[in-house]
Amino acid sequence: MERISIGISGLDDALGGFPVGRSMLITGDAGCGKTIFGLRFAKSSCEEGYVTAYITAEEDSHDLHVQANSFGWNTQKLEEQGLLTFIELTGIRARITEAEISMDMDPMKGNFTKILHDIPPETEVVIIDSLGGYTAKLTPYDFRNQFDLLVYELKQRGITSVLILDSATSNEFNELALFSVYGAIKLVRRENPYTGRRERVMDIIKMRSTKTPTQFLTYDIGENGIVIQNGEECYEEDEMQENYDI
């Protein structure tokens, strides 16, 4: 299966990159580096020649450019080359909510597939950061249906996607989301019981048709972005079959 480099060397070594045309789920608490992860993958996919869209539901493109530039990633140049597009949903969501309130409608009951309408037709890779703003008032049944359809439509279009969930949404819907995606990585902050120091670790929860580490990957966020601090020698084959992927 063709794969795209994630851009994080230790993680690429462990997984071989993200499978083309499949959806990856990234979850984690605030401050774990979910947006940095998404920006790094966007840069990597552009460098491999994939037309990429970064859909932001929380920050504006200026702030994302500033964040990327702090790690030496020239996202403006990628935009000028036509390889990267930032799509801001914050203003769109606010206008929709205002209109729904004015019409006495129940505002912001999520419709993930609306996001698909904003993705340019030539897009090959998309990062959605994050879906949390679209989950208000959704029941677990609603979320599963909406999420399944989003993943299905992205796959039908042959788009490789990274879907980011904030911690609150993840705590409520993570188990449901895991059924639909091809792979999932959780970013965790924890206290090391041996050193007493706080550290960041990646838990590769699943990656179909891939040998994955059974242990956490410790990482840090430095001047070059996310850096894996340790490699893992223990791997297991994800036994979930391709035909379960939607």
Side-chain angles (χ1 to χ4, degrees), residues 154-242:
L154 288 168
K155 184 179 178 184
Q156 288 299 106
R157 289 177 59 173
I159 294 176
T160 306
S161 61
V162 166
L163 310 176
I164 298 174
L165 289 183
D166 58 78
S167 57
T169 306
S170 175
N171 289 339
E172 186 173 3
F173 297 121
N174 183 64
E175 294 302 317
L176 296 174
L178 283 175
F179 284 105
S180 301
V181 293
Y182 197 83
I185 299 174
K186 184 176 183 180
L187 309 184
V188 180
R189 286 191 300 177
R190 68 175 187 179
E191 182 173 310
N192 188 313
Y194 301 103
T195 65
R197 298 176 59 184
R198 292 190 64 80
E199 63 183 13
R200 296 182 176 96
V201 297
M202 290 186 190
D203 183 6
I204 302 174
I205 299 172
K206 62 179 279 191
M207 189 67 65
R208 292 173 181 161
S209 305
T210 304
K211 290 184 177 181
T212 59
T214 58
Q215 304 297 320
F216 291 133
L217 296 179
T218 305
Y219 70 97
D220 200 1
I221 300 175
E223 60 181 12
N224 296 315
I226 294 175
V227 179
I228 302 297
Q229 298 295 319
N230 67 321
E232 300 296 342
E233 297 180 354
C234 298
Y235 291 80
E236 62 182 7
E237 186 80 28
D238 195 317
E239 296 179 354
M240 298 187 73
Q241 298 300 313
E242 175 90 12

Side-chain angles (χ1 to χ4, degrees), residues 34-61:
K34 298 186 298 298
T35 294
I36 297 171
F37 190 109
L39 286 170
R40 186 63 188 89
F41 178 59
K43 177 179 182 290
S44 183
S45 63
C46 288
E47 289 173 339
E48 292 194 16
Y50 292 94
V51 178
T52 302
Y54 195 107
I55 299 178
T56 172
E58 297 176 357
E59 301 183 65
D60 61 35
S61 59

